[in-house]
Amino acid sequence: MVNPTFKAGIILFSIFCLSNFIWPSHLAGQPPRIMTSSEIYDGLERLNFLGSALYVAAHPDDENTKLISYLANEKKAYTTYLSLTRGDGGQNLIGPEMSELLGVIRTQELLRARQTDHGHQLFSRANDFGYSKNAEETIEIWDTEKIKADVVWAIRKTRPDIIVNRFDHLSSGKTHGHHTASAMLSYDLFEVAAQNNTYPEQLKYVQPWQTRRLFFNTSWWFFGSEEAFNKADKTDLMPVDVGVYFPSLGKSNTEIAAESRSNHKCQGFGATGTRGTQMEYLKIIKGDMPATKSDLFEGINTTWTRVKGGELIQPLVEKVIAEYDFTNPAKSIPALLQIKKAILKIDDDFWKTIKAEETDNLIAACGGLFMEAVTKTHKITPGDELPIYLEVTQQLDAGITLERVHARGFNMDTTLMTTLPYNEALTWSKTIQVPLQTDYTAPYWLLKAHSLGTYDVEDQTKIGLPEADRPLKIDFTFDIMGEKITFSKDLRYKYNSPEQGATYRPLEVVPPMTIKVKEPVYLFPNGAASEIKIVVHAWKKDQVGKVTLPLPKGWIATPTSYDFKLQIPGESQEFSFKITPPKNSSEIVIHPRVLVGKEVYAMSMTDIHYDHIPYQTVLMPSSAKLVSLNIDNTAHKIAYVMGAGDEIPICLQQIGCTVDLLAAEELSAEKLANYQALVLGVRAYNTIEALKFKQKDIFEYVKNGGNVIIQYNVSNGLVTQELAPFPLTLSRNRVTVEEAPMRIINPNHAVLKRPNVITNKDFDGWVQERGLYFPSSWDPAFQPIFSCNDPGESPSEGSLLIAPYGKGNYVYTGLSFFRQLVAGVPGAYRLFANLISLESNENK
């Protein structure tokens, strides 16, 4: 017998999993949408399949959307992608957000991808700390026992009949360490998830589960080339044709998969859809290979007879499918109500929860039932009064009665007993009060400080969720032909955009006050005092208090605090503190605070807004780094062409540079003559088409005495092969260990002498990596400055190359300055100052 606590727990997490599927457009920030007639039919067919699949990899965009879409849409399986990380360590091609904020964007892009391919999404608590060359390093940095528990949790939670690994668990050292680690954990925990004595804290919510089969989704990439793969013996592989066509959608599965993958915009993974047969291959690594290799679920009971009491449901579903009327879906409601009654009697809480929710949503869709709960405010604080606006419309004549509207998260309960008129909107408004104890809404995994490898989340019910459940909801309870059905809708912000029309955002519950240091890093060159700016925002009216900036001994703030009075929600005020650092070089992290009465507020707020994902409001502990360092800089006017997004221009301003952001189209030898250096941002030659027409001007500028610093690019997708006036070949070489020794191989080069003397100490404290995508070969005109390598690898000399050209200097560097300067690494600033300060070769 299943205990009541387990039943409550399984319902708690299963509801979230379902909310992304049947009405996927109800995801926060997107307009509500009712399923089309064809989508209802698809849902009826899905109702008749009781099979689950789990796809496992390491990052957003690792997943094979072709196979996920095939499993979800062709097989009708409950399909989940487990991405161990949120992709925090990647690069951002669409904006400046990095690290945790990038992880927020990539989380939302994955949710959009799953909305497209009809899969579900889960994560672990693992942090993407950057590229790792082997699984052993990855596992050492991750808090592995927690990540193991999270993988087991995902297996128990989704009860997959089959698990598919994207990567080879035997490939450590051959690909990204995170990739191999994801496969290793899936492989090692295949049986562990079924054991009663492992991770017993989970058993309050889930039961042990033994998956039937574990596959490795191999491809030509793992064979080195398509030619090698085509020649390989595939007798031990299972072929799957994922190129099926869906007439009801007018799309092939591979077109859907391409649309899904194209949601990974910040990584530049837009894909073009294809049509026709396309094979995927799977290798069995645990469990039994399907006997005929014709069906991944072969030999697994995926019918209603797999659950006790389900044998009566199968013919009911088959009948409603056979009699479905595409022109009047409402005719299916009586049969669906009968199916719902039968589902509630089965002795399997997992499938009962999933299929009952599917049935409810099909009933609503068959009635053309539209429900909406919105407000005209984007941000609120606990205790606020909030006007809300409700609408219910029955767009097909289904005889539905709205019985009750009540709230979760606040007090509101209205009994209506109103028969909904056919195709007439029922609307009303009400003012409610948000309870003082309401939780803040924000990416839940960022509300606490975290370690390098793992986010700090202890609430078992939240672990793995893409987002926390929203605290303010409206429940609509209907009487449909004598049966009570309740639908829950998040309270959301809605407004009319002149460009987009009706626009939705998540409704955010935020602290009354937030505080943010204006820049993440402040430099204090050569012990000079400098100002830092702190901004406080009031999100509740009539806030009166004090801003304080606690500092350690040796650092002095003038003044020590400020009083403020902010009367209007959304009002802000900026304060400047003059900071005097100690005489010796020093680095500290500050945590400013707001005091309002006895309350202390110390969270920063960051809004992220891109058209392809919902508006995101991120709360994190407020902090900034202050760095006192010895540095000289002789370059005071810099031209900068932004690449794929970084914050180096702001960093250069802190060492005395005037930085002008130029578009590539503006570059000319004449204009550049006014600057001491031209810096091109990361991946500029991958993202800016106009640069291929501007190389002549750039070369001319260097020839006349200018300095050009090109930061890293990837070899695939360059807009021009002529990156420099001399031959230069990029590679995928990188040094991922941030403490890897940097050997100076050209000690007499000016870049190490002026204006700062560079030593090995300048490479202390680097973060995430030394650098990436170093050139593998170059013209003798280039002079390599450093040699470095990861443990056990051959030295690479391509991290920093400098070539004199005419009177100027041409620099190519794969050193990750875009990470180091933002992190306030003193030595990185000193070295970059030397690069932009390189002297003319005219008199040499």
Side-chain angles (χ1 to χ4, degrees), residues 68-135:
I68 287 176
S69 180
Y70 172 85
L71 289 166
N73 296 304
E74 173 66 10
K75 298 304 298 180
K76 312 298 184 188
Y78 186 90
T79 305
T80 305
Y81 174 42
L82 172 61
S83 176
L84 291 194
T85 78
R86 296 176 187 266
D88 325 69
Q91 283 82 53
N92 185 357
L93 296 183
I94 62 173
E97 295 86 1
M98 299 297 289
S99 302
E100 295 93 343
L101 296 182
L102 177 59
V104 172
I105 294 172
R106 299 188 73 183
T107 294
Q108 292 299 318
E109 289 182 339
L110 267 183
L111 287 175
R112 302 294 83 73
R114 298 294 80 77
Q115 176 190 354
T116 303
D117 60 33
H118 288 169
H120 308 279
Q121 186 61 51
L122 288 176
F123 295 93
S124 81
R125 287 171 286 183
N127 181 26
D128 177 3
F129 56 83
Y131 193 89
S132 174
K133 289 187 176 178
N134 58 73

Side-chain angles (χ1 to χ4, degrees), residues 262-275:
S262 295
N263 283 284
H264 297 300
K265 297 185 187 304
C266 72
Q267 301 300 293
F269 279 111
T272 299
T274 61
R275 289 145 296 280

Side-chain angles (χ1 to χ4, degrees), residues 167-453:
F167 299 104
D168 182 1
H169 68 288
L170 300 174
S171 64
S172 185
K174 298 178 182 177
T175 182
H176 196 326
H178 297 182
H179 292 169
T180 307
S182 71
M184 288 171 61
L185 290 171
S186 173
Y187 182 86
D188 292 343
L189 299 170
F190 183 77
E191 294 88 5
V192 172
Q195 297 169 2
N196 287 307
N197 60 348
T198 57
Y199 308 109
E201 70 279 1
Q202 299 177 3
L203 300 182
K204 178 181 178 181
Y205 308 99
V206 293
Q207 290 180 322
W209 179 257
Q210 180 58 65
T211 302
R212 176 76 171 267
R213 296 174 180 134
L214 175 62
F215 293 100
F216 162 40
N217 182 195
T218 190
S219 70
W220 68 263
W221 192 89
F222 297 95
F223 286 73
S225 69
E226 292 190 54
E227 182 181 4
F229 185 60
N230 291 335
K231 293 179 180 178
D233 181 5
K234 300 183 182 64
T235 55
D236 64 337
L237 303 180
M238 178 172 177
V240 179
D241 182 4
V242 296
V244 294
Y245 175 71
F246 303 118
S248 63
L249 301 176
K251 294 179 182 179
S252 68
N253 182 67
T254 41
E255 287 177 303
I256 295 172
E259 292 174 8
S260 173
R261 188 158 184 77
S262 295
N263 283 284
H264 297 300
K265 297 185 187 304
C266 72
Q267 301 300 293
F269 279 111
T272 299
T274 61
R275 289 145 296 280
T277 294
Q278 187 165 335
M279 305 306 297
E280 289 289 331
Y281 292 89
L282 294 102
K283 180 178 182 179
I284 193 76
I285 51 178
K286 282 193 175 181
D288 61 314
M289 175 68 87
T292 66
K293 295 185 181 180
S294 61
D295 181 359
L296 290 166
F297 291 91
E298 183 180 357
I300 300 171
N301 186 358
T302 57
T303 72
W304 278 101
T305 61
R306 79 177 295 171
V307 298
K308 187 177 180 181
E311 61 277 357
L312 301 176
I313 301 174
Q314 191 90 18
L316 296 177
V317 178
E318 290 172 354
K319 185 174 186 292
V320 74
I321 291 173
E323 296 178 354
Y324 179 66
D325 186 343
F326 283 85
T327 64
N328 188 7
K331 292 180 180 178
S332 296
I333 291 178
L336 286 168
L337 290 169
Q338 187 181 5
I339 291 169
K340 170 72 178 296
K341 287 181 182 179
I343 289 173
L344 293 178
K345 295 178 181 178
I346 66 172
D347 188 19
D348 186 306
D349 287 280
F350 177 78
W351 287 114
K352 179 191 294 185
T353 303
I354 289 175
K355 295 303 179 181
E357 184 86 1
E358 287 182 10
T359 306
D360 284 349
N361 287 329
L362 286 169
I363 290 169
C366 285
L369 194 56
F370 179 92
M371 294 161 277
E372 182 173 81
V374 299
T375 180
K376 296 179 180 179
T377 301
H378 181 213
K379 293 183 173 77
I380 57 170
T381 67
D384 283 350
E385 287 192 341
L386 182 67
I388 63 174
Y389 305 88
L390 309 176
E391 178 187 340
V392 177
T393 306
Q394 177 192 221
Q395 297 173 100
L396 291 175
D397 191 2
I400 298 175
T401 296
L402 177 59
E403 185 174 277
R404 179 186 176 206
V405 177
H406 60 289
R408 280 190 281 158
F410 58 95
N411 290 324
M412 189 189 82
D413 197 344
T414 303
T415 301
L416 295 169
M417 299 304 294
T418 299
T419 299
L420 295 176
Y422 167 54
N423 207 26
E424 290 184 21
L426 176 63
T427 62
W428 68 103
S429 61
K430 192 174 183 68
T431 298
I432 59 100
Q433 186 166 30
V434 180
L436 287 171
Q437 67 273 21
T438 304
D439 290 338
Y440 301 144
T441 56
Y444 67 90
W445 64 96
L446 298 179
L447 293 175
K448 295 181 182 178
H450 60 86
S451 68
L452 174 64

Side-chain angles (χ1 to χ4, degrees), residues 575-759:
F575 301 97
S576 292
F577 288 85
K578 182 180 179 181
I579 306 296
T580 304
K583 292 182 179 179
N584 57 312
S585 296
S586 178
E587 301 175 30
I588 63 170
V589 176
I590 59 171
H591 300 279
R593 301 187 301 171
V594 177
L595 308 178
V596 178
K598 295 182 180 180
E599 296 295 326
V600 179
Y601 301 103
M603 300 293 282
S604 70
M605 180 186 295
T606 302
D607 288 333
I608 301 175
H609 188 200
Y610 292 99
D611 288 343
H612 69 295
I613 62 173
Y615 198 104
Q616 296 295 297
T617 297
V618 182
L619 295 175
M620 297 173 64
S622 183
S623 66
K625 188 175 183 180
L626 307 189
V627 181
S628 173
L629 76 166
N630 294 319
I631 186 172
D632 290 317
N633 171 46
T634 61
H636 300 296
K637 192 171 184 183
I638 307 299
Y640 200 100
V641 176
M642 294 293 288
D646 63 53
E647 298 188 21
I648 287 181
I650 296 172
C651 299
L652 295 182
Q653 290 172 5
Q654 294 205 47
I655 59 172
C657 296
T658 297
V659 183
D660 291 341
L661 299 181
L662 301 183
E665 291 81 1
E666 297 179 76
L667 300 182
S668 68
E670 292 77 18
K671 186 164 189 171
L672 291 174
N674 298 311
Y675 297 95
Q676 290 167 275
L678 166 64
V679 182
L680 291 107
V682 297
R683 296 185 69 172
Y685 285 93
N686 296 124
T687 59
I688 305 175
E689 187 75 17
L691 280 177
K692 71 179 178 181
F693 305 112
K694 292 296 180 177
Q695 291 299 83
K696 182 179 178 181
D697 292 280
I698 294 173
F699 295 166
E700 186 69 20
Y701 162 68
V702 180
K703 194 173 183 179
N704 292 334
N707 285 332
V708 168
I709 296 95
I710 302 177
Q711 298 177 81
Y712 95 92
N713 291 267
V714 299
S715 57
N716 184 34
L718 289 168
V719 300
T720 177
Q721 295 299 318
E722 295 183 10
L723 291 177
F726 308 106
L728 181 72
T729 303
L730 304 185
S731 74
R732 297 183 64 85
N733 294 341
R734 61 201 302 165
V735 175
T736 63
V737 177
E738 55 267 40
E739 301 90 358
M742 295 293 291
R743 296 174 291 275
I744 296 174
I745 60 176
N746 199 335
N748 295 319
H749 197 285
V751 78
L752 302 176
K753 303 289 187 181
R754 297 185 294 273
N756 304 287
V757 177
I758 302 299
T759 69

Side-chain angles (χ1 to χ4, degrees), residues 463-479:
I463 289 172
L465 295 181
E467 306 174 288
D469 204 15
R470 294 270 158 179
L472 305 179
K473 299 177 180 294
I474 299 291
D475 286 349
F476 298 89
T477 298
F478 298 92
D479 184 306

